[in-house]
Amino acid sequence: MRLRTLMAALTATLLALAASSAFAQNDPLAGDAATTERSTIIVGSADFPESQILATIYAKALAAKGVKVEIHPNIGSREVYFPALKDGSIDLIPEYGGAVLRYLDKNSTQNSTDDVLAALKTALPRGVQILSASSAQDTNTVTVTQANAEKYGLKSIGDLKAHAKDWVLGGPPEWKVRPDGVPGFEKNYGVKFKSYKTLDVCGPLVLSALINGQIQVGCGFSTDPALKSHKLVTLADPLNQFPSQNILPLISSAKVTKDITAALDAVSAALTTDDLIDMNARINAHDSYDAIAGDWLKAHKLN
């Protein structure tokens, strides 16, 4: 009986270890402790393609400077990867200034790039810091067709004031009440639209409505390839109605060195919003992250 009991316990232990091993293989935060050195930079990404391509660029830029790197892509939402950054499961991840500030401080009101970056330095927890931000942004935009932009001389959101009374604005349901939606257009720019058409979150429904003339103004994203492929124009937001979303490296302070800072600062200095539009178009065409990142680094002499 004792032998049976011992064998049963041993079998249960082996099964538990096997299950744990299988989970680790599928866990984007799991690393091989035997091969991951303390000097290795573990680069993570959120669970959407643009974050993954940015993480790949960071990793390849660091590797080109002789830094040992591992990539843990597709971790999940900010609620998952931010604690991972704090506990050391990852060391570096691409972030968006305004979004991470709102995550850390729900009551923050800073929208301009300078204000957001200054507030971030105060809001970040101990042991985590940001390096230089890029000019590239993936933020909400106000979008019109190129034909209307040229016909009516539209360059800024404020230019809509003379025409909005005859035009329809389209976007997600929350734009009807949020400060960066209809109330913001009226308060910040004095722009009052004829009506509001509830569509999707700056996606294909808004795009189709713009192209077909069902709406004249729609919400968009600044790195959407549709801006180029469908000849759309993003209107400038000089009063910062939308929070700035400059892309920047968020990194564990313990892993910051002169060489790592120099490599990532060089990426930030070169990265533009237009670059992201082009890279997102390649992602949509099913090009690999490695190829896209490698081509971008080569074009900017960073590999």
Side-chain angles (χ1 to χ4, degrees):
M1 291 296 291
R2 287 182 181 180
L3 180 58
R4 284 187 185 179
T5 302
L6 178 62
M7 291 299 293
L10 179 59
T11 300
T13 301
L14 290 173
L15 288 172
L17 288 172
S20 176
S21 175
F23 174 78
Q25 290 177 4
N26 294 312
D27 182 359
L29 294 175
D32 186 344
T35 59
T36 301
E37 302 178 11
R38 293 185 65 182
S39 60
T40 299
I41 299 296
I42 302 173
V43 185
S45 84
D47 55 352
F48 57 92
E50 185 176 278
S51 180
Q52 293 181 55
I53 189 61
L54 288 166
T56 307
I57 287 174
Y58 285 175
K60 284 181 172 292
L62 291 173
K65 299 301 182 183
V67 179
K68 295 180 180 179
V69 296
E70 290 182 10
I71 301 181
H72 290 195
N74 204 33
I75 293 172
S77 67
R78 195 167 281 112
E79 287 73 16
V80 177
Y81 67 70
F82 205 92
L85 184 66
K86 291 196 293 182
D87 70 21
S89 299
I90 59 173
D91 303 310
L92 169 67
I93 195 164
E95 256 295 4
Y96 300 82
V100 72
L101 177 61
R102 296 295 196 269
Y103 169 77
L104 294 168
D105 179 3
K106 301 290 192 296
N107 298 316
S108 64
T109 58
Q110 295 86 351
N111 279 2
S112 72
T113 295
D114 288 346
D115 289 346
V116 165
L117 295 180
L120 256 182
K121 292 176 181 178
T122 301
L124 284 170
R126 187 173 182 177
V128 179
Q129 68 185 76
I130 58 173
L131 299 180
S132 296
S134 70
S135 66
Q137 294 196 49
D138 186 350
T139 186
N140 277 128
T141 61
V142 177
T143 306
V144 297
T145 63
Q146 183 177 318
N148 275 346
E150 293 175 351
K151 181 177 180 180
Y152 299 103
L154 306 176
K155 296 181 179 179
S156 165
I157 296 174
D159 295 334
L160 295 169
K161 189 173 182 179
H163 313 285
K165 66 181 185 302
D166 300 315
W167 286 357
V168 179
L169 170 67
E174 56 267 28
W175 254 29
K176 294 179 72 173
V177 295
R178 278 192 345 196
D180 58 353
V182 172
F185 294 124
E186 296 182 4
K187 177 182 177 181
N188 299 322
Y189 291 100
V191 173
K192 296 184 179 182
F193 290 94
K194 175 183 176 181
S195 62
Y196 186 83
K197 187 173 182 65
T198 300
L199 297 166
D200 58 3
V201 185
C202 315
L205 294 182
V206 171
L207 175 63
S208 176
L210 266 175
I211 294 171
N212 295 325
Q214 295 170 307
I215 62 174
Q216 288 70 47
V217 184
C219 72
F221 293 112
S222 59
T223 64
D224 188 346
L227 291 171
K228 288 188 176 181
S229 60
H230 292 281
K231 296 183 177 180
L232 302 178
V233 173
T234 292
L235 300 183
D237 178 23
L239 300 181
N240 299 302
Q241 176 166 314
F242 301 108
S244 68
Q245 301 291 357
N246 298 80
I247 292 161
L248 49 82
L250 190 63
I251 188 170
S252 168
S253 301
K255 291 297 183 79
V256 175
T257 67
K258 182 178 179 181
D259 290 341
I260 288 171
T261 299
L264 295 176
D265 282 355
V267 169
S268 290
L271 187 66
T272 67
T273 302
D274 277 345
D275 289 339
L276 287 174
I277 291 173
D278 293 338
M279 286 190 278
N280 281 329
R282 289 188 62 181
I283 291 171
N284 291 346
H286 307 295
D287 286 358
S288 72
Y289 296 131
D290 278 344
I292 297 169
D295 289 347
W296 185 87
L297 290 164
K298 182 178 180 180
H300 293 86
K301 299 180 172 58
L302 295 175
N303 61 347

